[in-house]
Amino acid sequence: MLQSSLINEIKKIVGKENVLATLEERLCYGYDSTPEAFLPDLVVRPDSAEQIQKIIKLANLHLFPVIPRGAGTGLSGGSLPVKGGVVLDLTRMNRILEIDEENLVAVVEPGVVTSHLQEEAEKRELFYPPDPASLKTSTIGGNVAECAGGPRAFKYGVTRDYVLGLEVVTPTGEILRTGGKTVKSVTGYDLIRLYTGSEGTLGIITKIILRLIPKPEAKETMMAVYERLDDAAKTVTLTIKRGIIPVTLELMDDLTIRCVENYLQIGLPLDAEAILIIEVDGPADLVKKQTEQVAELCRASGAREIKIARNEKEREEIWAARRAVSAAVVQIKPTKISEDIAVPRSQIPQMIRRLKEIASRYQLNLVIFGHAGDGNLHPNILCDQNDPEEMERVEKAIGELFQAAVELGGTLSGEHGIGTMKAPYLKLETGEAGYEVMRAIKKALDPNNILNPGKIFGSERNG
């Protein structure tokens, strides 16, 4: 617990109305989108980098943890106060400072909601592509800290591909600025890449310069239905071999389809093994041509039905199925363990087979959906965290799931980060040497282990 004199000092920095100390208030900041929850000692809502700098200096003086937090939509436990301390709620810093149409950049504070930036860019015929499923609530700062992706990552890349510059409060309380509005910069080490995806363990992001691109002229959306999941995977391979890069290539397996249909009742095919949702964008003439080509490839791969949206209403109906997945799957069991492995595209069929074998071996409900275009699958285990015997089987299954992804040349996390959920498995991918390099970076930048302890490195004392 923090001493009252220290809390009073923090109130002087941010104003007493921006310090939350009651149990009810702190409970609201103790969880994210994972099943875990921890109680912070205090919640502080700063409004500037200078206020954050003063709090970090206090943290180093009195040795209390500081956990930066956006909207709390993370799926790996990155914003959980696992060791108590002060949660820094950055949602007051929610200003779009500039949209520079001449240089195609936006300058924003970390608390800007992702969809708000996209809407403002599109008013100017510009485009900010990263689109995590939580885009209507998640914040740009959280997206940068976790290097969020989304369905459009296949064609347009992930958050790190759009970060041109950052302002960061370091773990020792300095304010650092790196990058800027230029497209090119090779001045020294690439600190932008170091901080992007660092999960709030190496610095607190207080300003972000983002690259924008021209808004695509047109887009077309289609849904293809398959009796065999392998045929859906074949479509992905054939499409890319043909030189077509769709914006999205989203996969839903049979159990996911049944959950969504039961939830929305929109006429999804309950006897299908897989659905692909495919979207292409670009110049209108090219989009029309590619839509026809992709539909033909779907048929050649074994799709039994193809529905091409004729208008925005039909496009929204197709996307409604994909967007409802997270809400729909929890009808099976109350606890959802959401993973996000990624494998080379050619290994998708093999990875799905391995996932189904693991689910069968441990008698677990497992749904599979995700971004087939970039090999990023979201196997979700539906279970009950109040059932210890089932949770023991879940733990074993998760271990095997990660092992399978690495054996197939993949990664533990395509877009959710490591946080607490994947920390015990980190060495599977990094090896001992990679793990020690990461720990050395953390130690060098945060000698007192102030920032977001307990993340990435699991139960290690310097985590």
Side-chain angles (χ1 to χ4, degrees):
M1 290 294 291
L2 302 181
Q3 293 182 346
S4 57
S5 58
L6 181 55
I7 295 174
N8 287 334
E9 211 165 333
I10 292 173
K11 285 179 180 176
K12 286 178 189 171
I13 296 171
V14 297
K16 63 180 180 183
E17 68 278 14
N18 294 309
V19 176
L20 310 179
T22 68
L23 176 61
E24 293 81 357
E25 290 168 331
R26 290 182 290 133
L27 279 170
C28 294
Y29 291 83
Y31 65 91
D32 61 4
S33 293
T34 65
E36 297 182 318
F38 303 85
L39 192 63
D41 297 313
L42 198 69
V43 178
V44 179
R45 306 186 70 228
D47 189 36
S48 69
E50 289 71 25
Q51 289 181 355
I52 293 171
Q53 181 182 36
K54 289 175 183 173
I55 293 165
I56 292 297
K57 286 186 181 293
L58 276 180
N60 278 280
L61 191 62
H62 298 278
L63 299 179
F64 58 83
V66 176
I67 304 94
R69 178 187 173 99
T73 56
L75 288 162
S76 62
S79 64
L80 295 176
V82 297
K83 296 179 186 295
V86 171
V87 165
L88 276 190
D89 170 12
L90 299 170
T91 56
R92 285 182 69 216
M93 299 174 68
N94 60 357
R95 288 160 287 227
I96 297 176
L97 301 172
E98 182 184 9
I99 293 185
D100 181 342
E101 296 180 52
E102 192 171 337
N103 288 302
L104 295 181
V105 300
V107 184
V108 304
E109 292 185 325
V112 170
V113 172
T114 310
S115 65
H116 292 175
L117 172 62
Q118 291 175 333
E119 288 161 9
E120 288 304 312
E122 290 186 20
K123 285 178 188 172
R124 297 161 174 82
E125 293 299 312
L126 297 175
F127 190 41
Y128 177 66
D131 61 337
S134 58
L135 65 91
K136 290 190 176 176
T137 48
S138 66
T139 60
I140 295 290
N143 291 177
V144 175
E146 299 292 333
C147 192
R152 295 197 288 236
F154 175 45
K155 179 172 183 177
Y156 290 109
V158 296
T159 300
R160 78 158 60 89
D161 298 309
Y162 293 86
V163 181
L164 293 176
L166 292 173
E167 178 185 84
V168 177
V169 177
T170 71
T172 50
E174 308 302 322
I175 295 180
L176 172 155
R177 296 179 182 86
T178 182
K181 289 186 176 181
T182 59
V183 174
K184 292 179 178 177
S185 173
V186 288
T187 306
Y189 293 136
D190 190 344
L191 297 182
I192 294 172
R193 289 230 162 194
L194 178 65
Y195 287 114
T196 304
S198 65
E199 304 188 23
T201 63
L202 301 181
I204 299 173
I205 296 164
T206 51
K207 192 181 294 181
I208 306 147
I209 301 174
L210 293 165
R211 180 168 70 97
L212 304 175
I213 61 175
K215 183 181 170 186
E217 181 185 357
K219 62 185 169 191
E220 292 279 359
T221 306
M222 71 182 78
M223 175 188 286
V225 179
Y226 297 84
E227 292 185 359
R228 289 178 359 105
L229 196 145
D230 276 6
D231 290 342
K234 196 194 304 176
T235 299
V236 176
T237 308
L238 284 179
T239 303
I240 294 160
K241 273 188 179 173
R242 186 72 171 266
I244 300 170
I245 306 296
V247 189
T248 59
L249 259 170
E250 293 291 293
L251 174 77
M252 293 165 57
D253 79 344
D254 50 357
L255 187 51
T256 308
I257 295 168
R258 288 200 288 274
C259 287
V260 172
E261 178 56 23
N262 190 48
Y263 184 68
L264 289 182
Q265 298 177 2
I266 53 175
L268 294 179
L270 296 175
D271 58 341
E273 267 198 10
I275 280 175
L276 279 181
I277 296 174
I278 308 169
E279 193 163 276
V280 293
D281 74 356
D285 290 349
L286 180 63
V287 167
K288 185 172 184 300
K289 181 182 171 187
Q290 288 191 336
T291 302
E292 291 167 0
Q293 289 175 324
V294 172
E296 183 51 42
L297 290 169
C298 291
R299 290 187 197 96
S301 305
R304 76 175 194 208
E305 181 187 347
I306 298 163
K307 178 183 178 183
I308 300 175
R310 292 170 296 183
N311 49 47
E312 188 60 25
K313 180 174 176 289
E314 289 189 359
R315 178 179 177 271
E316 283 302 314
E317 286 172 358
I318 289 175
W319 274 109
R322 175 63 181 86
R323 291 188 186 120
V325 169
S326 288
V329 297
V330 291
Q331 297 171 102
I332 298 176
K333 289 269 182 123
T335 306
K336 182 180 70 167
I337 310 289
S338 178
E339 299 299 352
D340 79 314
I341 53 169
V343 295
R345 280 187 293 269
S346 59
Q347 297 287 9
I348 289 176
Q350 178 65 4
M351 187 69 228
I352 289 175
R353 279 192 282 275
R354 296 277 292 268
L355 289 170
K356 288 186 177 290
E357 286 167 11
I358 292 168
S360 172
R361 182 156 53 253
Y362 291 105
Q363 299 177 305
L364 294 170
N365 292 297
L366 183 140
V367 298
I368 305 168
F369 56 93
H371 321 306
D374 51 29
N376 186 190
L377 298 174
H378 294 305
N380 277 219
I381 300 175
L382 292 319
C383 52
D384 183 351
Q385 64 181 340
N386 295 315
D387 181 343
E389 188 277 330
E390 185 179 40
M391 293 311 291
E392 194 175 323
R393 283 185 278 126
V394 168
E395 283 302 315
K396 289 177 181 172
I398 289 173
E400 289 193 22
L401 178 159
F402 288 137
Q403 186 69 47
V406 172
E407 284 174 4
L408 293 174
T411 179
L412 304 185
S413 178
E415 56 188 10
H416 293 174
I418 297 300
T420 57
M421 303 294 283
K422 301 184 185 73
Y425 310 99
L426 183 60
K427 287 183 188 175
L428 276 178
E429 184 174 338
T430 64
E432 195 66 42
Y435 182 85
E436 288 305 326
V437 167
M438 290 186 190
R439 269 172 51 97
I441 292 170
K442 170 67 174 169
K443 230 178 211 178
L445 295 183
D446 188 6
N448 290 324
N449 198 23
I450 295 299
L451 262 189
N452 213 5
K455 310 298 162 55
I456 299 178
F457 305 105
S459 58
E460 299 286 340
R461 293 190 64 190
N462 196 40

